[in-house]
Amino acid sequence: MKSKPLFLVSFCLTFFFAVGVNGQELLDILEKESPKMPIYTQAIFKTNRVLLTQSVETRKKGTLEFILGTRYWNIPNNDNSQSFAADRFSGHFGMQYAVSDRFTFGAGITSYDGILNGFAKYRLVRQRQDKNVPIGITLVQGASYFSRDFLRYNLPLNSSERLSYVTQAIIARKFDRNFSFQVSPTYIHSGSGQPVSDQKDLFLMGFGARYKLGNHVSLASEYGYLFGRNEGEEDFNLFSLGVNWEVGDLIMQFSMSNAKSFDDISSYLFNPNNFHFRPGGLHIGVNATYVLHLKKRNPDSLKK
Amino acid sequence: MKNQKNSTLVLILLLHLGLYGQHSGNLICRQGKVSFFSYTAVENIEATNNQVVSIVDENSGEIAVQMLMRAFVFKKALMEEHFNESYVESDTYPKLTFSGKINDFDGVWETTAPKFVDGIMDFHGVQKTIALKISIENENNNLVLSGDFNVSIDDFDIKVPPLLVPNISKEIQVMFRFEYVPYEE
């Protein structure tokens, strides 16, 4: 009988299809059907600032951020100091608002040097995990107004010469879940022609890095190399080292730095001392950033 | 004799055509919804994922679910970032999968009484057997599975820093709803 093997084949086929697919095969199908949503790399840096200088990050739409910064330091050759804990103090208050996921603007004021500053940030390219976009690029335009003389800097009376501008392109990459790095080619127009003698147009290369120590704590550092500066006579390059610590809506940035200022121009330019651990070189501070969501999103949850 | 053989062939052919003509017996849900809730005296947290995919084998009662952690939407954007970066670590563990089977399934999708599903949840690098109760409904001729259950964050190795322990509940309430349509490859 010829139909016997045919029947057998048929039986086998039927059996094979009737058994169906097992759990793993179902999961394999789901892997194919998984939604293709854009996955942007998040938390390249944890806040809008590495420590003092701008980072590649901006906040999500409708987020208002308050920054309260403090900096304490001792002045050199001041052994008979009567001051409590530290000789000098500087405070900073700033606010910034994210108009969209890409665009943020902000302003701030600093007590010690009397600088008012404002900035706008635009996130041009966002690093992605799902597609081949290996870097993120953010553009920053900022301005600082020097309202009074401070330290040894005498400012011109003409108010237009007290205004300085900064333009930055921040290029960043999160290499893995722990390590992020950014470089920022920067152009600074120093209205008063300080600290580099009578040179108003300055170029600078900024660097920033973050290393995650734990789920809520990371190490951060930044450096700014100013081209054409005679270090020592014409001040020193910015260096800071610190720790970022996030607690819910609050982010604390503890830092050691040679900068006395908080804004993007004077922290890069006006640092009379190099970074060291003796009085004058060491400035210890905390920046507390509080994040307020003005526009809450609607997750449309199942619980009505 | 020859006629008989031919008719057997035709019969077998017809049988097979009938088998292949049907869909695979799998039902798919591409926009399933999963919400979770953490209620404490300090803070209420909730998030929803509207892009959960799920598939069921209509004949065997097997169920599989997969969701991307990044697709959860929170009220606060920063909370969403913390959730992904510091708690579920979604860059290392991007998805949650569940694979299970309805207990004592007899091939009939009864909508009268709730059923129990036993399965394995694979989440945050931990695989754990869980049992959950589902209710079966029939809406617009589509199969709908829904239910809720609790998961303990300790079971899945989610660490909360001591300072934030009062803000995050130890037991997270999870709700889900999947509406299925026939799956065609």
Side-chain angles (χ1 to χ4, degrees):
Chain A
M1 291 295 264
K2 255 194 170 177
S3 64
K4 224 178 182 178
L6 243 169
F7 199 79
L8 228 127
V9 168
S10 151
F11 179 78
C12 283
L13 274 169
T14 316
F15 184 74
F16 179 76
F17 277 94
V19 161
V21 279
N22 66 26
Q24 187 51 47
E25 279 171 58
L26 289 181
L27 283 176
D28 290 343
I29 297 172
L30 288 185
E31 191 61 45
K32 270 193 298 184
E33 297 290 334
S34 193
K36 306 282 175 286
M37 53 178 273
I39 299 181
Y40 298 108
T41 307
Q42 59 180 4
I44 301 176
F45 286 87
K46 206 63 205 186
T47 68
N48 283 339
R49 284 161 191 278
V50 178
L51 285 166
L52 312 175
T53 63
Q54 299 283 357
S55 79
V56 74
E57 290 287 341
T58 56
R59 291 254 172 254
K60 293 282 185 304
K61 185 182 176 180
T63 310
L64 183 66
E65 200 177 273
F66 298 96
I67 305 163
L68 201 62
T70 58
R71 201 77 50 76
Y72 303 88
W73 66 95
N74 287 329
I75 51 176
N77 312 315
N78 188 24
D79 294 335
N80 303 321
S81 168
Q82 297 288 307
S83 30
F84 173 73
D87 293 341
R88 292 285 182 273
F89 165 77
S90 180
H92 174 83
F93 177 71
M95 279 167 86
Q96 53 196 51
Y97 182 70
V99 181
S100 74
D101 285 0
R102 287 172 181 266
F103 186 69
T104 294
F105 67 90
I109 184 165
T110 309
S111 70
Y112 183 75
D113 46 20
I115 292 173
L116 295 123
N117 72 298
F119 64 87
K121 263 174 117 166
Y122 183 75
R123 210 157 188 185
L124 192 67
V125 178
R126 285 179 283 184
Q127 189 181 336
R128 282 177 77 158
Q129 280 171 313
D130 55 333
K131 271 191 184 167
N132 197 14
V133 186
I135 56 163
I137 302 173
T138 298
L139 306 176
V140 184
Q141 175 63 51
S144 293
Y145 180 74
F146 295 70
S147 68
R148 59 165 187 262
D149 297 347
F150 62 98
L151 292 167
R152 54 188 164 87
Y153 310 109
N154 295 310
L155 294 164
L157 288 172
N158 186 346
S159 70
S160 72
E161 289 180 332
R162 289 175 167 228
L163 209 54
S164 297
Y165 304 97
V166 59
T167 307
Q168 282 189 301
I170 303 172
I171 302 154
R173 173 163 168 76
K174 191 171 191 174
F175 287 88
D176 58 35
R177 64 190 296 256
N178 292 326
F179 182 65
S180 308
F181 188 77
Q182 69 171 39
V183 285
S184 34
T186 305
Y187 163 73
I188 296 176
H189 176 83
S190 173
S192 65
Q194 296 180 77
V196 182
S197 56
D198 285 332
Q199 211 173 315
K200 292 198 171 184
D201 297 307
L202 302 164
F203 291 94
L204 179 135
M205 189 62 89
F207 301 92
R210 168 186 190 236
Y211 188 80
K212 221 169 127 174
L213 298 173
N215 273 342
H216 300 265
V217 181
S218 57
L219 207 64
S221 181
E222 65 201 352
Y223 178 71
Y225 181 80
L226 187 68
F227 294 99
R229 156 143 72 187
N230 183 7
E231 258 199 308
E233 273 172 48
E234 294 168 341
D235 285 2
F236 289 88
N237 288 331
L238 165 75
F239 175 78
S240 12
L241 181 68
V243 171
N244 289 355
W245 182 42
E246 31 155 308
V247 201
D249 292 334
L250 188 71
I251 294 143
M252 308 280 271
Q253 297 181 297
F254 301 90
S255 61
M256 298 184 290
S257 171
N258 63 336
K260 293 174 170 63
S261 303
F262 291 87
D263 67 304
D264 298 322
I265 292 162
S266 60
S267 60
Y268 275 132
L269 298 183
F270 302 112
N271 302 314
N273 294 296
N274 208 345
F275 181 80
H276 51 67
F277 289 96
R278 298 183 301 281
L282 181 67
H283 305 69
I284 293 174
V286 187
N287 283 8
T289 303
Y290 185 75
V291 178
L292 199 67
H293 294 82
L294 295 186
K295 285 204 184 92
K296 294 222 172 96
R297 293 171 308 164
N298 178 19
D300 192 22
S301 93
L302 277 171
K303 198 173 272 182
K304 288 293 176 301
Chain B
M1 186 68 188
K2 206 181 174 194
N3 251 343
Q4 200 191 344
K5 210 161 84 185
N6 271 349
S7 65
T8 318
L9 252 167
V10 166
L11 188 78
I12 288 167
L13 241 157
L14 276 175
L15 255 168
H16 275 269
L17 274 177
L19 258 175
Y20 299 142
Q22 278 178 2
H23 66 81
S24 57
N26 290 337
L27 301 173
I28 192 160
C29 165
R30 287 191 176 86
Q31 286 179 319
K33 218 170 182 182
V34 170
S35 298
F36 71 79
F37 310 88
S38 150
Y39 295 134
T40 62
V42 182
E43 193 172 25
N44 290 340
I45 301 165
E46 62 172 73
T48 299
N49 188 336
N50 280 322
Q51 297 180 67
V52 181
V53 283
S54 173
I55 197 157
V56 296
D57 187 328
E58 216 176 1
N59 307 316
S60 70
E62 277 176 293
I63 301 175
V65 181
Q66 175 173 313
M67 67 193 85
L68 293 175
M69 300 324 284
R70 283 294 291 267
F72 275 101
V73 175
F74 288 67
K75 276 185 182 166
K76 294 177 176 179
L78 185 67
M79 220 177 237
E80 194 174 307
E81 189 184 299
H82 285 336
F83 167 76
N84 279 295
E85 218 225 344
S86 309
Y87 295 95
V88 300
E89 301 169 276
S90 63
D91 37 9
T92 315
Y93 312 107
K95 63 192 183 192
L96 180 155
T97 58
F98 173 82
S99 166
K101 195 171 188 298
I102 296 177
N103 270 355
D104 309 321
F105 186 72
D106 51 8
V108 185
W109 293 86
E110 276 175 52
T111 54
T112 45
K115 291 269 186 184
F116 285 91
V117 176
D118 284 332
I120 294 167
M121 187 155 126
D122 186 346
F123 168 50
H124 197 244
V126 180
Q127 292 185 340
K128 199 175 177 292
T129 310
I130 58 167
L132 43 109
K133 197 161 89 174
I134 57 163
S135 62
I136 302 167
E137 285 163 285
N138 195 332
E139 236 172 69
N140 318 315
N141 275 330
N142 288 335
L143 174 72
V144 174
L145 302 182
S146 61
D148 63 315
F149 59 99
N150 287 343
V151 285
S152 153
I153 56 169
D154 291 334
D155 285 351
F156 289 94
D157 204 20
I158 309 265
K159 292 188 185 72
V160 178
L163 211 62
L164 290 170
V165 164
N167 296 50
I168 296 161
S169 174
K170 286 267 162 210
E171 287 281 319
I172 306 290
Q173 190 195 353
V174 184
M175 290 175 85
F176 61 90
R177 188 178 190 281
F178 305 126
E179 187 172 339
Y180 296 89
V181 291
Y183 176 65
E184 276 135 43
E185 279 171 76

